[in-house]
Amino acid sequence: MKAEIIAVGTELLLGQIVNSNAQFLSVELAALGIDVYFQTVVGDNLNRLQQAIEIAQSRADVILFTGGIGPTEDDLTKDGLAAALGRNLHIDTPAMEHVQRFFDERKIFMTENNRKQALMVDGTTPLPNEVGLAVGLAHAHEGKFYIVLPGPPREMKPMFTDKAKPWLLQHALTHEMPIYSRMLKFAGIGESLLEDKLIDLIRNQTDPTIAPYAKEGEVTVRISTKAPSEQEAAEKLNALEEQIREILPEHMYANIDIPLEKLLVDRMVNASLTLSAAESCTGGLLMETLTSIPGSSSMFLGGIVCYSNEMKMKLLNVPEALLEGKDAPGAVSREVAEVLAEQARLIADSDFGLSVTGVAGPGSSERKPVGLVYIGIAERGQETEVFELNLRGTRDNIRLRTVKALLYRLWRRLEQR
Amino acid sequence: MKAEIIAVGTELLLGQIVNSNAQFLSVELAALGIDVYFQTVVGDNLNRLQQAIEIAQSRADVILFTGGIGPTEDDLTKDGLAAALGRNLHIDTPAMEHVQRFFDERKIFMTENNRKQALMVDGTTPLPNEVGLAVGLAHAHEGKFYIVLPGPPREMKPMFTDKAKPWLLQHALTHEMPIYSRMLKFAGIGESLLEDKLIDLIRNQTDPTIAPYAKEGEVTVRISTKAPSEQEAAEKLNALEEQIREILPEHMYANIDIPLEKLLVDRMVNASLTLSAAESCTGGLLMETLTSIPGSSSMFLGGIVCYSNEMKMKLLNVPEALLEGKDAPGAVSREVAEVLAEQARLIADSDFGLSVTGVAGPGSSERKPVGLVYIGIAERGQETEVFELNLRGTRDNIRLRTVKALLYRLWRRLEQR
């Protein structure tokens, strides 16, 4: 089954926003076993939209629209689809009540143009909008399937997941076995090394399939299978997951799509463990990453960004002899990383203390190369570990990869407890 | 003049990457006065690529391709274009020497498939690749203009800016006056309020034109004009810039495209001023933002993330009476923001001390509402300022907007020195 995604909106053609909706829907459709053959972006112009719909009808079975269903005169997606189907438009009563209720509850006067958000093409199925105001739609017609979704991602995503996807499964994918997928998450390993380790599995894949995806400093592997029931799929996926875990036991941290920082925060909160940190070259990125997770305030106590040597000495009791002098190891050293981790832990009286000191670039410092970084982990009653990293890339890359490496080492430490 | 951007690559149709190239090129083409009417994404498939080219030829004057010019069998963009133009392909000698030199310099054996990166459609103009290996091309044929660019943004952007754009100006835009643009940057004001203040200018705009763009917590206004010379353009742009600055004197911080944090770091480095910080709810985001700028190490000394009340008392000398007890103002208060800013400054002995304390959510704390944040600025020998913010949005939004607000207030403070 072939699909085309049509994003409607002049703001995309002006480059004011990036078409992240097409990416989201492409991933979702691939997971349903639907092949996306084309993505099209067209402006808020009825003629060109109708052209785009005609072309899509000639080459796709499933046509998904995003955007162009808001309240303004420029919002023309439903008009275009109605014209293509030879239908009229009407105001959908439940959708109109939903819009009216929004304004009533906020005691705001509803301007007339908002009625447009309740428009429906005659004879099609409304997809209610739980997050915003504009109603979506789904329709099967002459072997083609049409889905209209809102433009804002925070409205589009839940409408697709909760409304359009079940509709597609029921109407378009009835004769196909559903696809079941699982995300395996890895840390502390790059994409190419991971692929290398899994190359035999990947080369011989038939069912389930294996697809690695890399983002900055982390790798995800999606395993997928078609099966008549969730249980049969689970059996196949479990077997492959087990094979992969045996190959990379020290790197697979989850079999659901969760960032490593969230897994760590949740695990430490559940175990009533606390954490503090001392960061130099990452300048707050480590603490920012941890505190971006809701609930982190019960495990993260605080920490220090010690950019200057004075701050390292004053706040973290790093001995001057380590920092200055001809034979001193210097701020970027194993010794300083150790003191920073231990002092961060002591100052906050936390269970764990993390540290970073290194050269993020672009310039080198202390005649040490850009990308040389030491990370430390101190733990109450345990020996402090320090790891040396030799990273490549821009200042941003090096900072980000340092944080990922430290989170990975903390995860390993928690695994071994 | 109408344009279509065709991105070639199955990885886009699988949703593995987002089509950021289309966004970049759309912005660039708009600035040249070329209207992008369609963006298309097609996979690595010769038939479907040829279809897409035929459709684009029927509706666009300028057709830009990105991707599909690498070394693998899947890279088919030049094959598709050659077929559409009824031409053959050949290996371009300078491009081939460029590829060969790359491997020679690294003493790596060049596999045969890399010759593909030097392929050219007969009779077209090579666009050299300064960053990567695959050569691009430009061609004018029967009133249409074709540009082929690499897929990786780090190769595509310089090839467009340095090679394709001058080619377009010389071949496609000869009869049109060039467009000159300037970016005006604003802080401390939202998009809707800014539009409201500039509404008369925007409504009456003819030449230069005014286009506001909003990103999270900051607003940019692009002013553009067509003129026969740079000097005539500058006169028109200067006059409009002055009008806008008079309307929003407290918010326009630059007339070049620079982030506020970079402007602040550069200005403080030049003035030999130093900075430190104490952050609670932003958890390190403020310090991370400042230290993301190269050179920040000479103005930023360090700071403290004081997530817990204990850390606020122990490291920043916040009196217990302010934090705990029935009538205490609590951690999220004007009083605590003031102490944090002053103590951050004193501990580091810096010229400025910044502070943040607030409720980022999702849960409230101290029975204070999500989005209530206090930010403080202490300065050596000056009175400390504290500002109350009442922000809406997710945890991430609130943290980000808090940092933007604090950077804005610091900029105002430096302006008034």
Side-chain angles (χ1 to χ4, degrees):
Chain A
M1 187 154 278
K2 296 174 292 184
E4 175 154 353
I5 299 166
I6 301 180
V8 187
T10 301
E11 67 277 20
L12 286 159
L13 296 181
L14 289 171
Q16 290 169 354
I17 53 173
V18 67
N19 192 6
S20 62
N21 285 346
Q23 182 182 26
F24 172 85
L25 290 173
S26 293
V27 170
E28 292 290 321
L29 292 169
L32 289 172
I34 298 174
D35 297 314
V36 177
Y37 273 9
F38 294 94
Q39 296 168 356
T40 298
V41 178
V42 57
D44 301 313
N45 174 289
L46 194 56
N47 275 333
R48 290 195 284 278
L49 174 59
Q50 281 183 262
Q51 277 177 42
I53 296 174
E54 274 169 37
I55 292 168
Q57 285 174 323
S58 75
R59 61 191 188 184
D61 310 306
V62 182
I63 305 174
L64 293 101
F65 299 84
T66 58
I69 63 170
T72 77
E73 281 173 30
D74 284 346
D75 289 303
L76 295 168
T77 302
K78 288 170 184 166
D79 305 70
L81 182 59
L85 297 174
R87 303 269 175 104
N88 289 317
L89 294 158
H90 67 276
I91 297 284
D92 180 66
T93 309
M96 191 60 234
E97 286 166 4
H98 175 67
V99 174
Q100 186 68 58
R101 202 177 309 123
F102 174 87
F103 287 94
D104 290 349
E105 279 172 5
R106 282 158 188 76
K107 299 193 171 64
I108 312 171
F109 176 73
M110 188 191 82
T111 53
E112 191 61 17
N113 59 357
N114 279 292
R115 293 174 56 82
K116 234 185 139 188
Q117 305 199 75
L119 266 187
M120 281 293 294
V121 178
D122 291 356
T124 64
T125 307
L127 301 179
N129 189 334
E130 310 281 358
V131 180
L133 295 183
V135 65
L137 73 80
H139 187 55
H141 181 67
E142 295 178 352
K144 307 274 177 204
F145 302 92
Y146 301 86
I147 302 278
V148 175
L149 301 167
R154 57 185 286 277
E155 298 179 27
M156 188 278 295
K157 289 180 187 179
M159 191 187 288
F160 179 82
T161 307
D162 303 335
K163 306 288 182 338
K165 190 164 134 183
W167 187 92
L168 281 170
L169 285 168
Q170 199 185 333
H171 294 85
L173 301 168
T174 39
H175 302 300
E176 312 205 14
M177 274 195 291
I179 290 200
Y180 296 90
S181 293
R182 192 175 290 178
M183 302 294 259
L184 309 182
K185 303 282 289 184
F186 296 85
I189 185 167
E191 187 190 22
S192 57
L193 183 58
L194 176 130
E195 278 198 12
D196 201 55
K197 296 260 186 195
L198 299 182
I199 192 72
D200 288 339
L201 281 179
I202 292 174
R203 284 219 176 116
N204 300 321
Q205 65 177 309
T206 46
D207 175 37
T209 58
I210 307 175
Y213 301 83
K215 268 195 302 191
E216 196 65 51
E218 62 177 66
V219 189
T220 302
V221 172
R222 182 202 286 269
I223 55 175
S224 309
T225 187
K226 290 191 183 189
S229 74
E230 191 161 354
Q231 200 195 322
E232 282 174 64
E235 281 167 22
K236 287 199 273 182
L237 295 178
N238 289 347
L240 179 59
E241 178 184 325
E242 206 40 56
Q243 276 185 288
I244 293 174
R245 195 192 294 268
E246 272 169 28
I247 297 170
L248 296 161
E250 297 183 357
H251 297 284
M252 195 181 126
Y253 71 83
N255 62 1
I256 53 168
D257 195 8
I258 183 177
L260 182 53
E261 55 267 27
K262 176 152 172 55
L263 180 127
L264 289 171
V265 167
D266 292 351
R267 189 179 288 187
M268 291 186 75
V269 169
N270 287 335
S272 299
L273 292 170
T274 56
L275 180 72
S276 57
E279 300 185 55
S280 183
C281 68
T282 44
L285 184 62
L286 170 67
M287 295 190 268
E288 192 276 308
T289 303
L290 289 166
T291 59
S292 71
I293 305 299
S296 52
S297 58
S298 38
M299 53 71 73
F300 180 69
L301 303 182
I304 292 158
V305 178
C306 46
Y307 231 47
S308 69
N309 277 353
E310 288 68 34
M311 295 288 273
K312 290 184 183 77
M313 292 188 277
K314 186 163 177 184
L315 289 179
L316 288 145
N317 306 315
V318 178
E320 192 172 353
L322 285 183
L323 295 171
E324 279 154 31
K326 204 166 66 76
D327 297 322
V332 178
S333 65
R334 189 171 282 280
E335 292 83 345
V336 170
E338 186 173 337
V339 176
L340 291 177
E342 289 173 358
Q343 290 292 319
R345 197 194 76 67
L346 279 173
I347 288 165
D349 191 25
S350 54
D351 298 303
F352 287 87
L354 305 183
S355 71
V356 180
T357 180
V359 188
S364 60
S365 86
E366 297 184 343
R367 298 191 190 167
K368 283 167 182 158
V370 172
L372 176 67
V373 181
Y374 293 93
I375 56 177
I377 303 184
E379 182 180 349
R380 198 190 298 276
Q382 303 290 326
E383 264 195 39
T384 299
E385 287 180 293
V386 175
F387 303 91
E388 181 182 306
L389 310 176
N390 290 283
L391 303 170
R392 287 192 197 185
T394 64
R395 181 179 177 88
D396 286 346
N397 294 148
I398 289 170
R399 287 157 51 104
L400 189 57
R401 286 176 192 171
T402 298
V403 169
K404 298 275 182 189
L406 192 37
L407 295 178
Y408 168 66
R409 289 295 171 186
L410 178 61
W411 171 70
R412 293 284 301 149
R413 185 88 178 217
L414 292 174
E415 286 284 293
Q416 285 156 11
R417 274 168 72 94
Chain B
M1 187 154 278
K2 296 173 290 183
E4 174 153 354
I5 299 164
I6 301 181
V8 186
T10 301
E11 66 277 22
L12 286 159
L13 296 180
L14 289 171
Q16 289 168 357
I17 54 172
V18 68
N19 192 4
S20 62
N21 285 345
Q23 182 182 25
F24 172 84
L25 290 173
S26 294
V27 170
E28 291 291 322
L29 292 170
L32 290 173
I34 298 174
D35 297 313
V36 177
Y37 274 9
F38 293 94
Q39 297 168 356
T40 298
V41 179
V42 58
D44 301 312
N45 174 289
L46 193 57
N47 276 333
R48 290 195 285 277
L49 174 58
Q50 282 184 259
Q51 277 177 42
I53 296 175
E54 274 169 37
I55 291 168
Q57 284 173 323
S58 75
R59 62 191 186 185
D61 309 306
V62 182
I63 305 175
L64 293 101
F65 299 84
T66 58
I69 64 170
T72 76
E73 281 174 32
D74 284 347
D75 288 304
L76 295 167
T77 301
K78 287 170 185 167
D79 305 71
L81 181 59
L85 296 174
R87 305 268 175 104
N88 289 317
L89 293 159
H90 67 276
I91 296 286
D92 180 67
T93 309
M96 191 60 233
E97 286 167 4
H98 175 68
V99 173
Q100 187 68 59
R101 201 175 311 124
F102 174 87
F103 288 96
D104 290 350
E105 280 172 3
R106 281 159 189 75
K107 300 191 171 67
I108 312 170
F109 175 73
M110 189 192 80
T111 53
E112 190 61 17
N113 59 357
N114 278 292
R115 293 174 55 82
K116 233 184 140 191
Q117 305 200 74
L119 267 187
M120 281 292 295
V121 178
D122 290 357
T124 64
T125 308
L127 301 179
N129 190 333
E130 309 282 358
V131 181
L133 296 183
V135 64
L137 73 80
H139 188 54
H141 182 68
E142 296 179 353
K144 307 275 178 204
F145 302 92
Y146 302 86
I147 302 279
V148 176
L149 301 167
R154 59 185 285 276
E155 299 179 26
M156 187 278 294
K157 290 181 187 179
M159 191 186 287
F160 179 81
T161 306
D162 303 335
K163 305 288 183 335
K165 191 164 131 182
W167 187 92
L168 281 171
L169 285 169
Q170 199 186 333
H171 294 84
L173 300 168
T174 40
H175 302 300
E176 312 206 11
M177 275 195 288
I179 290 198
Y180 297 91
S181 293
R182 193 174 290 177
M183 302 294 259
L184 309 181
K185 303 282 289 184
F186 297 84
I189 186 167
E191 187 191 22
S192 58
L193 184 56
L194 176 130
E195 277 198 11
D196 201 54
K197 296 260 186 195
L198 299 182
I199 193 72
D200 289 338
L201 282 179
I202 293 174
R203 283 218 176 117
N204 300 322
Q205 65 176 310
T206 44
D207 176 36
T209 57
I210 307 174
Y213 301 83
K215 268 197 301 193
E216 198 64 52
E218 64 178 64
V219 187
T220 302
V221 172
R222 182 203 287 267
I223 56 175
S224 309
T225 186
K226 291 191 184 189
S229 74
E230 190 161 354
Q231 200 195 323
E232 281 174 64
E235 281 167 23
K236 286 198 274 182
L237 295 177
N238 289 347
L240 179 59
E241 178 184 325
E242 206 39 56
Q243 274 186 288
I244 293 174
R245 195 192 294 270
E246 272 169 29
I247 296 169
L248 296 161
E250 298 184 356
H251 297 284
M252 195 180 127
Y253 72 83
N255 62 1
I256 53 169
D257 195 8
I258 184 178
L260 184 52
E261 55 268 27
K262 175 152 173 52
L263 180 127
L264 290 171
V265 166
D266 291 350
R267 189 179 287 188
M268 291 185 75
V269 169
N270 288 334
S272 299
L273 293 170
T274 55
L275 180 72
S276 57
E279 301 185 55
S280 181
C281 68
T282 43
L285 183 61
L286 170 66
M287 295 190 267
E288 192 276 309
T289 303
L290 289 166
T291 59
S292 71
I293 306 298
S296 52
S297 58
S298 37
M299 52 71 72
F300 180 69
L301 303 182
I304 292 158
V305 177
C306 47
Y307 232 47
S308 69
N309 277 353
E310 288 67 33
M311 294 288 271
K312 289 183 185 77
M313 293 187 278
K314 187 163 175 183
L315 288 179
L316 288 144
N317 307 313
V318 178
E320 191 172 356
L322 286 182
L323 295 171
E324 280 153 29
K326 204 165 67 74
D327 297 323
V332 179
S333 65
R334 190 172 280 280
E335 292 82 347
V336 170
E338 187 173 335
V339 176
L340 291 178
E342 289 172 358
Q343 290 292 319
R345 196 195 75 68
L346 279 174
I347 289 165
D349 190 24
S350 54
D351 298 303
F352 287 87
L354 305 182
S355 71
V356 180
T357 179
V359 188
S364 60
S365 85
E366 297 183 344
R367 299 191 188 166
K368 283 167 183 157
V370 172
L372 177 67
V373 181
Y374 293 92
I375 57 178
I377 303 185
E379 182 180 350
R380 197 189 297 278
Q382 303 289 326
E383 266 196 36
T384 300
E385 286 181 294
V386 175
F387 303 90
E388 180 181 306
L389 308 175
N390 290 282
L391 302 169
R392 288 191 196 186
T394 63
R395 179 180 178 89
D396 286 345
N397 295 147
I398 288 169
R399 286 157 51 105
L400 189 58
R401 286 175 194 171
T402 297
V403 169
K404 297 275 182 189
L406 192 38
L407 296 177
Y408 168 66
R409 290 294 171 186
L410 178 62
W411 171 70
R412 294 283 302 146
R413 185 87 176 216
L414 292 174
E415 286 284 294
Q416 284 154 13
R417 275 168 71 94

